[in-house]
Amino acid sequence: MARYSLESINEYARRGYAVRVTCQSCGHAVDWNAVSLMRELHRLRASMQIDKVGARMRCSGCGHRGATITPAAADW
Ligand SMILES: [Zn+2]
């Protein structure tokens, strides 16, 4: 996959990518709809910056806080 400048959730939404959130502890991965995630962050008045979003994500598998965010193909 080509690497773009994907520094915020807005970029993912605009380019049509899903947001893959991978736990840094157990590797559990979840794909988010970028538009849904953007709306949720907006509602929470949270940062759209990828590193900040990753830092606040809590794993639903192991409860670890801190995830790596990468683009994934959107299949909806
Ligand atoms: Zn985990």
Side-chain angles (χ1 to χ4, degrees), residues 60-71:
S60 60
C62 73
H64 176 82
R65 187 180 290 272
T68 302
I69 294 184
T70 52

Side-chain angles (χ1 to χ4, degrees), residues 6 12-13 15-21 30-35 69-76:
L6 291 166
Y12 281 66
R15 295 188 189 278
Y17 286 131
V19 180
R20 177 157 296 169
V21 180
V30 178
D31 287 353
W32 283 74
N33 179 311
V35 176
I69 294 184
T70 52
D75 58 359
W76 44 79

Side-chain angles (χ1 to χ4, degrees), residues 29-76:
V30 178
D31 287 353
W32 283 74
N33 179 311
V35 176
S36 301
L37 183 55
M38 193 172 68
R39 288 206 190 103
E40 180 69 7
L41 292 169
H42 184 71
R43 191 177 66 77
L44 297 170
R45 300 181 193 283
S47 174
M48 302 276 178
Q49 290 287 78
I50 293 305
D51 53 351
K52 295 206 174 69
V53 174
R56 68 179 288 141
M57 285 288 186
R58 185 182 290 277
C59 177
S60 60
C62 73
H64 176 82
R65 187 180 290 272
T68 302
I69 294 184
T70 52
D75 58 359
W76 44 79

